[in-house]
């Protein structure tokens, strides 16, 4: 071989090696950059980018760097499904995750299944996601409405036994699911004694919340169950405060996040009770080292505390990495099999992916918002939550028999 040919061959080999080294493993984040859940969407993005950067600095996934492809669902189911299809078909993503609205997550998950890709749901709390609408390619990282209701009702029965409730509920899948579950476990299924109203979704106006809260005030109830999320909860709670209801009633927000609390502010939020699968102080209070590492890395990078949404997205990226590396491939069927029944400890105590419904089983919490001075004493003004109740994931989750009963009601098969 002549020196010229040898040099050319070496250059081609170097180029080929560089091309292989540069090839990325793409994953898709499908979240609301705009709309009523945009704050929760932003937290997902921040958590996901942190995970991707950490993983890439540590060598990627089986030597391949991760690449995060992002799309805006706008909080619309059709857009979520369209994004999922486009990311898989045109971008070649191997996995998609995201959510906030359960209807968006369910539609997006169906699009992923049609293309043989896993969809991990973040902040999708409707029972349907891993219940009546469950399928082989959907995995839900946070808890669901059933689990929320079990832990909340344990707290409410202990602290508000015999009191009357009033429900204000977002009129869509998640809202119906949460109200039904909380009524069941808090023994408030009698709608004459414990009435409620539905508010439009996704286009409720302040007047809708004003009218609903006036009915709550007139009812004489002592517990106000605000089954609202994101900007809707923020606006409704501001109106409730102006009406003096936060002083007259125990306000309960079934799915309470740090982002929502920050939007409302510490003065109005004081004393509010809610459910959560994770809050940033859990790792410190219960001594979970990896959880502390996440909180500190997130806080330093973004100059804010992470919310449940950030933790969920961050965890999903790491769980996908772990699954791919356990089986040595991104093959969807192989990854599904290794996820099913897998137990791990990450940001809190032990969690596992249940095999028959793909629900993540984990400890759940009831939190109560602290006084303003305590909240603001935190370096980032975000020490909002006291943990006032907890329940193990196995105690909180539906049993196999309960899950199968829901599947029968929906006319769905009893296996995924």
């Amino acid at each position: 071989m002549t020196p010229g040919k040898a040099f050319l061959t070496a250059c081609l080999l170097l180029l080929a090696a560089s091309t292989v080294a540069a090839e990325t493993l793409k994953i898709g984040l499908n979240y609301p950059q705009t709309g009523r859940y945009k704050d929760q969407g932003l937290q997902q993005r921040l958590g996901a980018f942190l995970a991707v950067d950490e993983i890439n600095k540590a060598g990627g996934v089986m030597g391949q760097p991760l690449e995060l492809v992002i799309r805006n669902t706008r909080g619309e189911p059709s857009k979520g499904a369209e994004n999922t299809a486009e990311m898989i078909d045109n971008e070649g993503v191997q996995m998609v995750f995201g959510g906030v609205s359960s209807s968006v997550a369910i539609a997006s998950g169906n699009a992923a299944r049609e293309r043989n890709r896993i969809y991990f749901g973040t902040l999708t709390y409707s029972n349907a996601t891993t219940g009546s609408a469950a399928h082989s390619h959907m995995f839900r990282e946070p808890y669901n409405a059933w689990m929320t209701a079990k832990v909340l009702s344990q707290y409410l029965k202990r602290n508000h036994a015999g009191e009357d409730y009033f429900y204000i509920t977002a009129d869509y899948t998640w809202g119906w699911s949460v109200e039904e579950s909380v009524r069941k476990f808090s023994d408030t299924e009698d709608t004459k004694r414990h009435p409620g109203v539905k508010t439009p979704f996704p286009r409720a106006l302040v007047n809708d919340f004003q009218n609903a809260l006036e009915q709550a005030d007139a009812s004489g109830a002592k517990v106000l169950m605000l089954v609202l999320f994101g900007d809707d909860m923020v606006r409704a709670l501001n109106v409730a405060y102006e009406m003096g209801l936060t002083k007259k009633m125990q306000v309960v927000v079934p799915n309470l996040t740090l982002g929502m609390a920050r939007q409302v502010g510490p003065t109005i939020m004081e004393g509010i009770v809610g459910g959560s699968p994770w809050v940033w102080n859990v790792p410190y209070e219960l001594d979970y080292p990896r959880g502390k590492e996440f909180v500190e890395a997130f806080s330093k990078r973004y100059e804010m505390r992470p919310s449940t949404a950030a933790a969920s997205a961050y965890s999903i990226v790491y769980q996908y990495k772990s699954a791919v590396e356990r089986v040595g491939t991104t093959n969807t069927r192989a990854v599904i099999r290794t996820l099913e029944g897998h137990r791990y400890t990450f940001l809190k105590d032990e969690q596992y992916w249940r095999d028959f419904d793909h629900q993540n089983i984990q400890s759940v919490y009831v939190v109560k918002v602290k006084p303003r001075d305590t909240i603001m004493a935190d370096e980032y003004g975000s020490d909002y939550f006291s943990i006032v109740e907890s329940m193990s994931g196995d105690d909180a989750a539906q049993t196999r028999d309960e899950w199968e009963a829901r599947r029968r009601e929906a006319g769905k098969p009893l296996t995924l």
Side-chain angles (χ1 to χ4, degrees), residues 130-131 134-135 340-341 352-359 361 397-404 407 413-416:
T130 48
H135 56 77
E340 291 177 332
Y352 68 96
W353 300 100
R354 197 158 60 175
D355 55 1
F356 68 82
D357 61 352
H358 295 176
Q359 173 61 49
I361 305 301
Q398 287 180 320
T399 65
R400 178 68 182 260
D401 287 345
E402 289 165 335
W403 182 81
E404 288 185 357
R407 296 284 285 185
L414 302 185
T415 59
L416 300 183

Side-chain angles (χ1 to χ4, degrees), residues 26-245:
K26 294 183 178 181
I27 57 176
L29 174 59
N30 202 25
Y31 75 103
Q33 297 176 32
T34 55
R36 300 203 167 174
Y37 294 164
K38 61 183 180 295
D39 181 81
Q40 289 72 36
L42 174 61
Q43 284 283 316
Q44 288 182 61
R45 175 174 175 154
L46 299 179
F49 269 109
L50 177 59
V52 168
D53 284 354
E54 289 178 351
I55 289 168
N56 286 342
K57 285 177 183 176
V61 179
M62 297 193 304
Q64 280 186 277
L66 280 177
E67 180 181 344
L68 190 62
V69 179
I70 61 174
R71 294 292 183 270
N72 181 13
T73 67
R74 304 194 300 247
E76 300 170 5
S78 59
K79 186 62 177 172
E82 177 188 319
N83 289 348
T84 301
E86 187 271 328
M87 285 192 285
I88 295 169
D89 295 344
N90 298 337
E91 296 284 351
V93 302
Q94 294 299 312
M95 174 274 278
V96 187
F97 63 115
V100 178
S101 164
S102 292
S103 53
V104 172
I106 290 168
S108 302
N110 288 337
R113 176 181 56 179
E114 291 166 4
R115 291 159 177 81
N116 193 29
R117 292 291 187 274
I118 292 173
Y119 196 97
F120 286 93
T122 58
L123 271 72
T124 165
Y125 297 135
S126 167
N127 289 328
T129 306
T130 48
S132 59
H135 56 77
S136 57
H137 290 59
M138 171 65 82
F139 287 79
R140 187 213 315 252
E141 196 281 331
Y143 66 2
N144 58 24
W146 184 283
M147 297 167 76
T148 309
K150 287 284 284 289
V151 69
L152 268 177
S153 296
Q154 179 175 276
Y155 172 83
L156 291 168
K157 283 182 175 180
R158 184 176 294 124
N159 293 277
H160 298 278
E163 295 181 0
D164 294 341
Y165 289 38
F166 192 93
Y167 288 80
I168 298 177
T169 301
D171 195 9
Y172 79 109
T173 307
W174 167 75
W176 310 328
S177 192
V178 172
E179 180 177 339
E180 177 191 22
S181 299
V182 173
R183 283 187 181 275
K184 174 182 175 66
F185 293 116
S186 63
D187 299 326
T188 56
E189 291 177 295
D190 181 350
T191 56
K192 290 185 178 179
R193 179 179 173 186
H194 309 285
V197 296
K198 300 290 193 295
T199 55
F201 184 86
R203 295 177 178 83
L205 304 174
V206 172
N207 283 345
D208 294 312
F209 300 124
Q210 179 82 39
N211 293 336
L213 288 162
E214 286 173 356
Q215 293 180 59
D217 191 16
S219 74
K222 295 297 183 183
V223 177
L224 175 59
M225 193 68 61
L226 284 183
V227 190
L228 304 169
F229 199 72
D231 289 353
D232 285 348
M233 190 286 290
V234 172
R235 291 188 297 168
L237 200 48
N238 274 289
V239 174
Y241 179 79
E242 290 169 6
M243 294 174 61
L245 297 187

Side-chain angles (χ1 to χ4, degrees), residues 15 17 25 43-44 92 127 135 149 196-197 200 227 283 292 299 303 314 373:
L15 177 61
L25 172 56
Q43 284 283 316
Q44 288 182 61
N127 289 328
H135 56 77
V197 296
V227 190
K292 294 178 193 176
S299 300
E303 297 186 342
Y314 181 86
D373 290 348

Side-chain angles (χ1 to χ4, degrees), residues 269-345:
M269 285 300 301
E270 185 173 345
I272 305 298
V273 168
S276 182
W278 188 89
V279 290
W280 72 263
N281 48 303
V282 162
Y284 295 91
E285 293 190 25
L286 302 178
D287 194 23
Y288 301 133
R290 185 61 180 83
K292 294 178 193 176
E293 289 178 14
F294 164 63
V295 173
E296 288 161 13
F298 188 99
S299 300
K300 181 178 179 180
R301 177 169 177 156
Y302 300 118
E303 297 186 342
M304 68 173 78
R305 298 298 190 191
S307 74
T308 306
S312 182
Y314 181 86
S315 297
I316 285 167
V317 176
Y318 270 98
Q319 277 300 292
Y320 181 68
K321 171 186 183 293
S322 174
V324 168
E325 291 181 338
R326 286 198 305 275
V327 293
T329 178
T330 58
N331 177 274
T332 297
R333 295 291 178 183
V335 174
I336 288 172
R337 286 194 297 271
T338 197
L339 283 168
E340 291 177 332
H342 177 65
R343 293 176 178 267
Y344 63 97
T345 302

Side-chain angles (χ1 to χ4, degrees), residues 279 281-282 285-286 365-368 385-390:
V279 290
N281 48 303
V282 162
E285 293 190 25
L286 302 178
Y365 308 98
V366 175
V367 296
K368 189 169 187 176
F385 303 124
S386 293
I387 302 165
V388 295
E389 193 83 42
S390 65

